[in-house]
Each structure stands twice: as structure tokens, then as C-alpha cells.
Amino acid sequence: MTPPIHQPPSDLPRLPSRHAHAHKGDFGLALVVGGSRGMVGAVARAGMAALRAGAGLVRLAVPDICQDAVAGFEPSYMTTALPADEAGRISADAGETIVGLSEAATAIACGPGLGQSDELNQLVGWLYQNISKPMVVDADALNALATEREVLDRPAGPRILTPHPGECARLTGSIDEGRGARDEGRGARDEGRRSAAIELAGRSGVVVVLKGHRTIITDGDSVWVNTTGNPGMA
């Protein structure tokens, strides 16, 4: 039976109030792993978003060659330098350090600005299977998992995958990238996106956030569609 689609509630629950004596340690630590030479903005903005979303502490783990540039974006998050390869990407040698950092984290995000290499493909797959904390997998980390598809079904903890249609196609082969899409056939296209998201989530035991016009969120059982937003990022 195909799961029904739910629309977001019109009256969203309010964020809980914070006690007057609360401090930053009460509201979690977000660890963001990413960045590479020439792509520091993505990981920096992910860290800024975590701060604005209410994380008490935010730490960005980035290649050592990028640390100063990333730190210069925002003084309110922390940065940790990881060993880098010759191209300025995180080295495979960083695995144990990242796992160590994750022990103090409440949640992890992996992928923004990460870049692509064979070493990173193996590193991301290893982290996916060895970090038990909740992890959001985005951008180049998804591309890494697409080369190690057998890993998708073996997460070490809760996972949220946030592909756009092209990344979802690489993960599942179920839909095309949809670039240049027009209104013709939108219903069939939306059904294809929905089916691909449900299949990926159900098979891998993860939550999938399939981005695009009418973003689809599913755990394989329930399906939600975000009808808000606009094409401003285009």
C-alpha cells in the first residue's frame, strides 16, 4: 500500500522556552564535517545555520588548509583542523579524529563542500557505519555513498539523507535529475520522486528529504510534502 501524503500542519508547534539559567551546554553540540580548498562557503554556512537553528555549540571539522578561511566567516562557532590531501580535501587519515569529535556531539552533519575522491568515498562510508550519533548526510557525502551503495543499508545510527534529484538518481537510479523541467507531466514526475524517496528510505532504514519544488520527506512509511518556498536559490 502506498503511504498517503501529509501536508505540513498550518499551526506548527512552538519552540520550547529556554530557562533563564540555561547555558550553551544545555542545547547540544552540532558537529559539521566538510569543506575543501575552494569550497569553504558551504560548510561555513551550514555552521551558521546550526547556530541560528538554536544549537548551543557548533564545531566545524575541516581540512587544516581551510581552517583559517572557515573560522573567518563566523566567530561564534569553533573549528577543528583535520589532515588534508594534496588537493585540500579531508584525508582518509581523519577518520578516528572525526569519530572522537562525534563522541561529544549531539548530532553530526557530513558533506557540505567536502569534495570528491576515492579516499573520501571510503571515509564517508566508514563514518556512516561507525558513528552512532544522529547524522545528516548531504552534498558530496551523498555522492560518496553512491559509490558505496552496499553501505546505505548499514547505518550505525539514525540517518537523514538530503539529496536533490540528481543525487537521488545516483543513490537509487530511480529518477533523472529533472533539470530544465517544465509543468508538462509534473504529476508523473512528482510520483516518480515520491516513489524513489519512499524506496530509498524504506530499504535503508533512514529518513529521506528529497529536495526540490515540493520537497518530499519520508521514512518509508509516512510521507510529508513541504509546499512552501520559492525558486530564489535558482
Side-chain angles (χ1 to χ4, degrees):
M1 180 178 177
T2 303
I5 294 178
H6 304 283
Q7 300 297 332
S10 56
D11 185 20
L12 293 172
R14 299 180 67 85
L15 292 174
S17 59
R18 296 191 168 186
H19 194 277
H21 296 290
H23 58 82
K24 60 189 177 184
D26 293 329
F27 303 112
L29 188 156
L31 173 65
V32 186
V33 181
S36 58
R37 182 190 291 134
M39 292 195 293
V40 298
V43 68
R45 293 187 69 83
M48 294 160 68
L51 288 167
R52 294 188 182 190
L57 295 162
V58 176
R59 181 181 298 279
L60 275 53
V62 301
D64 51 15
I65 196 170
C66 302
Q67 184 180 21
D68 289 348
V70 171
F73 275 85
E74 168 57 60
S76 300
Y77 54 51
M78 301 170 287
T79 60
T80 294
L82 300 174
D85 64 16
E86 292 182 356
R89 300 168 300 215
I90 295 173
S91 166
D93 297 336
E96 294 293 347
T97 300
I98 295 171
V99 169
L101 292 171
S102 74
E103 293 175 359
T106 310
I108 297 96
C110 181
L114 193 66
Q116 298 181 53
S117 70
D118 290 341
E119 280 195 0
L120 280 172
N121 293 342
Q122 296 172 18
L123 175 62
V124 170
W126 186 81
L127 294 174
Y128 188 87
Q129 296 177 91
N130 285 277
I131 290 180
S132 60
K133 299 291 181 67
M135 180 188 293
V136 178
V137 185
D138 185 42
D140 280 330
L142 293 171
N143 292 325
L145 289 181
T147 71
E148 309 265 337
R149 290 190 186 180
E150 70 281 359
V151 171
L152 280 170
D153 301 343
R154 300 198 293 269
R159 299 291 182 258
I160 300 175
L161 310 186
T162 62
H164 59 52
E167 291 161 343
C168 190
R170 290 188 279 278
L171 289 167
T172 67
S174 300
I175 57 175
D176 61 31
E177 293 197 24
R179 290 180 178 172
R182 296 294 184 265
D183 289 338
E184 303 91 271
R186 180 170 294 282
R189 193 160 49 246
D190 284 349
E191 182 59 33
R193 293 173 65 243
R194 179 187 174 204
S195 297
I198 292 170
E199 190 275 333
L200 176 59
R203 184 191 75 210
S204 304
V206 301
V207 172
V208 172
V209 179
L210 179 50
K211 296 179 287 194
H213 179 60
R214 297 192 176 92
T215 291
I216 296 167
I217 305 101
T218 180
D219 61 359
D221 293 321
S222 299
V223 182
W224 294 81
V225 177
N226 183 356
T227 58
T228 67
N230 59 67
M233 285 185 67

